[in-house]
Every structure is written in C-alpha cells, then in structure tokens.
Amino acid sequence: MEVRLAECAGFCFGVRRAVETVYEQVQTGKTIYTYGPIVHNEEVVRDLEEKGVRVIEGREELLRLAEEAAGRGEETPTVIIRAHGVPKDIYDILDKNNLEYVDATCPFVKKIHRIVERESEKGRHVVIAGDPTHPEVEGIRGWCSGPVSIVETPAEAENLVFSPGETVCVVSQTTFNYNKFQDMVEIFQKKGYNDGVVNTICNATEERQRSAKAIAAEADVMIVIGGRHSSNSRKLYDICSRECANTYFIQTLDDLRLELPKAVRLVGITAGASTPNKLIEEVQNYVRINF
Ligand code: F3S
C-alpha cells in the first residue's frame, strides 16, 4: 500500500516562514511577543506559549507593552509581526518606542503594502477586494494615505461611487476568490476604470486545492487534516470527497479511526493551511506503520 502526501499541503510559504521565525527568536532567550496569534492553529500557539511566547491582541496592548518596556529600562522584548502584516502605524509605534521587532510579513503581502502606499501618495483612490474584518485587509488599509474603500462582493463594487476625476487602484486580499475578483474588475472597467487593477491574489490556496484533488482522484482512501473552524480545510474536504468516497476529516492523529480493507492501494493525505508539518508527518507515519 502506498501513502502519498499532496504536493502542496499544510502551511503556505508565508505562514511557514513566520512560524519558523518565532521558533528561531525563542532560541535567543529574549521575551517574545507576536502581534496577533502567529497562525490559526491552537496546538502551535499553545506550544509557543509553553516556550514563553505571548500574544499581543492589538494596538492598546502594544502601547501598554511599550510603556512597561520603557519603565524596565534595558530588557526590551521582541515583537514579531505575523505573515498577514500590519498597518503602517504599528511600525510607527514600534519605532517611536524603540521596541525591537522582527518583521515576518509575507513578502507577497508586503508587495501589496508597497503598491497601495505608492498609489495612494499619487492621489489614487485605493480599492481593496477583501474581507474588511480580516487582519490582512486592515493591514493593507493602514498603508493608504488617501481615500480607500473595501469591497467584498460584486454588488458592493457596483455601488461604489468615486469623485469626479478620481483615479483608482484596485488590489485584492491574497486569499480572495479569483472569480469574484474578476467579476469586480469587469464592473470597474464598465465604470471606465481600466487601469490600476493589480491582481494580488496568492496562488498558494489554489495550488493546495489542485494537488489535493489530483491525489484524491487516484486514492482509495483520502485523509484531510485541518482545524475544526478552518474554512480552507473544509473546502479541501469537499473537494476530496467529490473525488474519493472514503475521505476522512481529522484534526489530530487521535481522530483517525481507520479500518482499511485489504484492497486499498493508495492512501492520500492533504492538510489545511494552518496544519503544521509535524502533525502531517505523524499521520503519514502512523498510516505507513499500522497498515
Ligand atoms: Fe501564504 Fe503569503 Fe500566500 S501568507 S497564502 S504565501 S500571501
């Protein structure tokens, strides 16, 4: 029996890089804070907590930390900025208060910050296609110095009104749905805004889905590892179930109750974006050893 892992499974490049950054910083022996949980995975956050890493929940807490650090004098903590990135004013707070920080913003997100900062300075109205409550979108918004609008649906794009003579720059949240973005772009074009659209959707999600589907199509049994509340993991499960009737959705190895018939030749494994490698390996080894 063969056990095969999807080509793209688990953490994307940006999240892996950010998580590794935190583990590296832990080695320095300093007090480490992350600005928001580094990844939406309870186990990783708990493991880091046990190593002394604390989570700052927002601006207020950061300001409090800055005050405390100033009061303590020499021993300054290190703040790590996660892959989603943060608004410009967070860097200003860090710099003004001489707080040490390590910037683990995903380079693809950083690129969006640079685009909106530049276009905003030129006087363009920035439109972000994305979820207004998502920290990545909040971060992008925080690099705009002029008018900015966030649209989540084509209907919202349709209703958007610009001032006469205004030029527009449209970007997208990195995980935004491609088809929805295309629909919005068409709406802006119909309104006469043909330039200034930059597709900043990251292909990590699509690649993960594509490679899961490819394995599921061949596999006799498919295992999807992911968090209970992770929408991208659920999506992987749906995709795999359509290709393979024996698809299991598990959070940890403990959930795996496999009874494999003898005829099984290929077991496929994939994992959502917030599933750490360690867990993927555990499941992979378990299936290899026990069946
Ligand atoms: Fe991940 Fe960066 Fe893309 S965080 S989803 S690789 S934009």
Side-chain angles (χ1 to χ4, degrees):
M1 188 189 75
E2 187 191 347
V3 181
R4 202 188 299 162
L5 179 67
E7 214 178 301
C8 309
F11 288 173
C12 62
F13 152 77
V15 170
R16 185 176 312 129
R17 182 172 166 270
V19 172
E20 280 170 6
T21 303
V22 183
Y23 280 100
E24 274 162 26
Q25 288 300 316
V26 166
Q27 301 298 321
T28 63
K30 289 193 163 191
T31 311
I32 308 293
Y33 288 85
T34 61
Y35 191 82
I38 198 74
V39 60
H40 287 126
N41 181 285
E42 288 162 29
E43 279 186 56
V44 176
V45 174
R46 203 176 315 125
D47 183 51
L48 286 169
E49 226 173 63
E50 279 163 19
K51 293 182 164 52
V53 177
R54 289 168 234 178
V55 177
I56 301 172
E57 291 298 350
R59 223 175 242 94
E60 297 303 312
E61 250 185 73
L62 181 63
L63 285 165
R64 218 168 26 243
L65 175 73
E67 251 174 56
E68 283 167 16
R72 272 202 310 270
E74 279 177 16
E75 190 215 326
T76 58
T78 303
V79 178
I80 299 173
I81 298 172
R82 62 184 170 174
H84 290 325
V86 291
K88 186 173 182 301
D89 73 311
I90 298 297
Y91 290 90
D92 296 341
I93 295 174
L94 292 163
D95 288 334
K96 219 165 83 204
N97 292 284
N98 292 322
L99 282 173
E100 264 183 43
Y101 65 90
V102 179
D103 191 355
T105 306
C106 174
F108 299 127
V109 177
K110 204 80 217 141
K111 185 178 141 200
I112 309 177
H113 292 174
R114 282 198 297 265
I115 293 172
V116 298
E117 185 183 30
R118 186 187 62 223
E119 298 304 314
S120 226
E121 274 167 12
K122 283 190 204 158
R124 288 194 166 188
H125 185 136
V126 174
V127 179
I128 309 165
D131 169 1
T133 62
H134 194 284
E136 182 195 318
V137 174
E138 281 172 33
I140 298 170
R141 171 187 223 145
W143 285 87
C144 301
S145 50
V148 50
S149 303
I150 300 166
V151 285
E152 206 175 1
T153 62
E156 285 172 9
E158 196 79 63
N159 291 334
L160 208 59
V161 183
F162 301 106
S163 308
E166 213 173 27
T167 52
V168 169
C169 164
V170 185
V171 293
S172 51
Q173 184 180 343
T174 54
T175 49
F176 202 67
N177 178 286
Y178 179 76
N179 293 335
K180 228 156 87 175
F181 184 68
Q182 271 317 108
D183 289 346
M184 290 183 179
V185 170
E186 274 172 32
I187 292 167
F188 291 123
Q189 283 172 344
K190 262 193 236 139
K191 284 175 187 257
Y193 297 102
N194 295 316
D195 325 319
V197 176
V198 196
N199 177 354
T200 48
I201 297 174
C202 170
N203 56 10
T205 312
E206 206 189 312
E207 277 175 3
R208 199 181 299 111
Q209 291 176 357
R210 198 179 24 78
S211 60
K213 186 176 175 188
I215 289 203
E218 282 184 57
D220 304 296
V221 171
M222 190 73 199
I223 302 169
V224 180
I225 317 165
R228 208 175 346 183
H229 305 296
S230 152
S231 61
N232 77 83
S233 306
R234 282 256 143 231
K235 180 91 192 159
L236 283 179
Y237 175 74
D238 291 344
I239 291 171
C240 293
S241 310
R242 260 178 259 139
E243 302 294 327
C244 172
N246 299 315
T247 297
Y248 295 81
F249 186 77
I250 61 166
Q251 286 201 75
T252 65
L253 192 52
D254 296 339
D255 303 334
L256 192 59
R257 307 263 175 274
L258 270 188
E259 277 179 30
L260 298 182
K262 289 239 165 352
V264 167
R265 266 179 297 174
L266 175 64
V267 176
I269 299 177
T270 188
S274 44
T275 308
N277 266 356
K278 201 173 123 236
L279 180 54
I280 302 175
E281 275 165 25
E282 267 173 27
V283 174
Q284 216 176 343
N285 290 337
Y286 177 86
V287 179
R288 278 204 180 117
I289 292 165
N290 290 284
F291 297 98

